[in-house]
Amino acid sequence: MTSSTPLTLDDIRSTLATVQLGRRLYVHHEVPSTNSEAMALAQAGAEHGTVVVADSQSAGRGRLSRPWHSPAGANLYCSIILKDEGRTIGDVEWLSWIPLASALAVAEAVQVIASISLSVKWPNDLLYQDRKVGGILCESLRTPIQGSVVVIGIGINVNLPQESFPEELRQTATSLFEIAKSSIDRNRLLAQLLYELEQVARELTTHGSSHLRPAYLNRCCTIGKRVRAILGAEQEITGTAESISSDGALQVRPHFTAPAGLPPELINIHAADVIHLRE
Ligand code: BTN
């Protein structure tokens, strides 16, 4: 295993430049899942910007109920609580853009700390040359007193050597260490990530997605690709991903001919497992 600097409260705080995110910060050796931990804190009324980070997870969770490989001493596993603080945009726009804006923040933080340019596979997989480097799981709850609360769970493969990935991920995933050929300080990466997340969250709450959408389109490698979008057990769409709507949906032009030779209408996909098809 590559040597990773330990995650500590003091080291994270030493470069943290945020106003709100991470001002309350819980650093664990191991938890089942930082998202489950943060959801419990959110339910109990934890303040906006509370962060839970762990060196390892015994039951890390990915999107679509998949497990998230979470060994100790190598990667970043964190969850951030965002609350309904002085928003000028509606719940729907906020909730649908948080996952996409979070992916932008991760990509920006990785660029600053590791000089690596990641792309985003819609909605929020972080890729380097088609290999997955990170993923985001957003969960939300609504209470009469707090309104909408979102937990943004972020997992980044930081210092894990390729041979330490489980067999089933070895061909499809990679880590920043493998790309940069040097180990990355997780404390600095987390501090930068919280800073970037604070910027995009502020942008979203004050101006909506108008500036974030072009920035996301720039990073999004799904646009222009032939994709298969699996919507459920019985339903899938194959087509070309053309754009992202103002509410964060992936706009796909299906591959079938419409009546009278017209191009088929764009379909807005709000939630799906998207597979990039070979050209
Ligand atoms: C995905 O499937 O791509 C999303 C992966 C999200 C993993 C992170 S690790 C920190 C947080 N805690 C969890 O249990 N999951 C998220």
Side-chain angles (χ1 to χ4, degrees), residues 33-35 57 60-63 68 77-79 125 132 135-137 153-155:
S33 152
T34 57
N35 258 38
Q57 301 183 112
R61 299 184 280 114
R63 287 177 66 234
W68 185 258
Y77 319 110
C78 64
S79 300
D125 280 354
K132 186 153 166 169
I136 298 174
L137 173 67
I154 301 174

Side-chain angles (χ1 to χ4, degrees), residues 130-133 157 162 165 169-175:
D130 290 337
R131 286 180 184 250
K132 186 153 166 169
V133 174
N157 302 327
Q162 205 66 35
F165 280 90
L169 297 178
R170 217 165 286 161
Q171 304 304 320
T172 55
T174 193
S175 68

Side-chain angles (χ1 to χ4, degrees), residues 52-64:
V52 179
V53 59
D55 187 51
S56 69
Q57 301 183 112
S58 53
R61 299 184 280 114
R63 287 177 66 234
L64 310 162

Side-chain angles (χ1 to χ4, degrees), residues 94-135:
W94 190 61
L95 290 172
S96 56
W97 269 92
I98 288 256
L100 283 67
S102 304
L104 271 183
V106 173
E108 202 54 46
V110 166
Q111 186 99 52
V112 171
I113 298 296
S115 304
I116 291 170
S117 184
L118 297 180
S119 57
V120 179
K121 173 172 170 269
W122 185 90
N124 52 19
D125 280 354
L126 282 308
L127 302 189
Y128 184 80
Q129 295 178 349
D130 290 337
R131 286 180 184 250
K132 186 153 166 169
V133 174

Side-chain angles (χ1 to χ4, degrees), residues 192-218:
Q192 188 68 33
L193 170 54
L194 296 177
Y195 176 78
E196 302 296 344
L197 199 53
E198 190 163 275
Q199 307 309 305
V200 294
R202 187 172 302 143
E203 171 63 33
L204 185 59
T205 50
T206 51
H207 300 113
S209 61
S210 57
H211 295 143
L212 291 171
R213 186 171 168 271
Y216 183 87
L217 283 167
N218 249 337

